[in-house]
Amino acid sequence: MDKFTVLESVAAPLRIINIDTDMIIPKQYLKTIKRTGLGTGLFSEMRYREDGSENPDFVLNQPAYRNAQILVAGDNFGCGSSREHAPWALLDFGIRCVISTSFADIFYNNCFQNGILPIKVSPEDLEKLFDDASRGANATLTVDLENQEIRGPDGGKIHFDIDPFKKHCMLNGLDGIGLTMEKASAIDSFEKKLSERAWA
C-alpha cells in the first residue's frame, strides 16, 4: 500500500448525499476479485449514458476534474452494502482522499485498508471546500496528514481529526498484511521455538 503523507490536487465536488456503494461501483462490476481495472466502472451510471458515451454533465468527465485525486462529497458517503470494490474503484480511478461530513462505518474502514484517506469535517467546513472545489483547475487543495489539515488555495486551513493508529498506518503505507510483516522477526522467533519444543 502506498504511503499517504501530503496530497496536492484539484478536488472534484460531488454535491450528492447518501452516495451508496452501488452508485460508486454498480453490481455488474463485482465479478472480479482484482483491485485493478475497476476505475472505468466508478460512478458508471452517472458517468455514462445508455449508449456508453460519457455524460458531459458529470463532474469527473469535465476537463478540470478528470485527474482529480480528491473528492468532496455530501453526507453519508459509502452507505449501502459493504463491498470492498467501492474503495478499489476509487483508488483505481486515482482518488486518494474523500472528504465529507460522515461516512458509513464499513466503507470508512475499508478506505484505510486500501490507501484512501477519508476525512470527516463539519458542515460549515464542507461548504468552504465545495466552494474551493467548484473553481476547478484554478484551485487546488493540499491534504497534509502529518499535521492533520487541509489547506485551501487562498491560504485557509481546516483541521481534521483522525485515529492515531489509522494515521500511523496511512503515513507508513501499512495495511493489515503490512502490519503483520512488521512483526515478522518476532513471528519467526516464536515459530522456531514452537518447532524446537515439538521435536524435544
Side-chain angles (χ1 to χ4, degrees):
M1 188 171 86
D2 291 337
K3 295 178 180 180
F4 191 114
T5 53
V6 176
L7 174 65
E8 184 176 346
S9 171
V10 166
L14 196 58
R15 278 187 177 270
I16 304 172
I17 63 169
N18 301 320
I19 293 177
D20 64 28
T21 52
D22 189 53
M23 291 171 70
I24 298 170
I25 185 74
K27 60 185 179 301
Q28 62 266 32
Y29 294 94
L30 306 187
K31 297 171 185 175
T32 181
I33 56 170
K34 294 180 181 178
R35 299 184 185 203
T36 56
L38 290 169
T40 55
L42 181 69
F43 299 121
S44 68
E45 291 178 359
M46 292 185 281
R47 275 174 69 198
Y48 306 111
R49 294 169 168 162
E50 286 188 13
D51 64 2
S53 63
E54 287 189 351
N55 171 8
D57 296 328
F58 186 66
V59 64
L60 294 177
N61 289 337
Q62 295 168 11
Y65 301 110
R66 283 186 179 274
N67 296 313
Q69 296 179 67
I70 300 171
L71 197 61
V72 180
D75 305 343
N76 198 28
F77 191 89
C79 56
S81 69
S82 60
R83 63 189 68 168
E84 196 169 4
H85 292 69
W88 291 355
L90 286 163
L91 190 63
D92 193 57
F93 182 85
I95 302 295
R96 291 294 315 276
C97 178
V98 181
I99 305 170
S100 182
T101 53
S102 60
F103 296 88
D105 287 343
I106 293 175
F107 174 83
Y108 183 76
N109 289 310
N110 279 341
C111 280
F112 285 107
Q113 284 296 314
N114 288 282
I116 298 172
L117 179 63
I119 299 176
K120 297 176 186 176
V121 296
S122 69
E124 296 77 21
D125 286 339
L126 189 70
E127 279 305 312
K128 293 175 190 173
L129 294 169
F130 270 132
D131 182 59
D132 287 336
S134 68
R135 293 191 251 168
N138 296 319
T140 58
L141 297 181
T142 301
V143 178
D144 184 338
L145 179 55
E146 180 65 51
N147 293 304
Q148 294 177 217
E149 65 183 23
I150 304 165
R151 295 189 287 274
D154 300 325
K157 295 180 182 178
I158 294 172
H159 179 81
F160 62 89
D161 294 321
I162 184 172
D163 175 82
F165 176 70
K166 286 182 167 61
K167 177 180 177 179
H168 167 79
C169 290
M170 289 293 288
L171 286 171
N172 293 283
L174 299 171
D175 57 9
I177 294 171
L179 282 166
T180 301
M181 294 309 294
E182 278 195 322
K183 309 291 184 186
S185 60
I187 293 169
D188 290 344
S189 176
F190 173 79
E191 288 184 340
K192 183 180 178 184
K193 288 177 185 175
L194 201 63
S195 177
E196 289 170 351
R197 196 178 307 160
W199 289 100

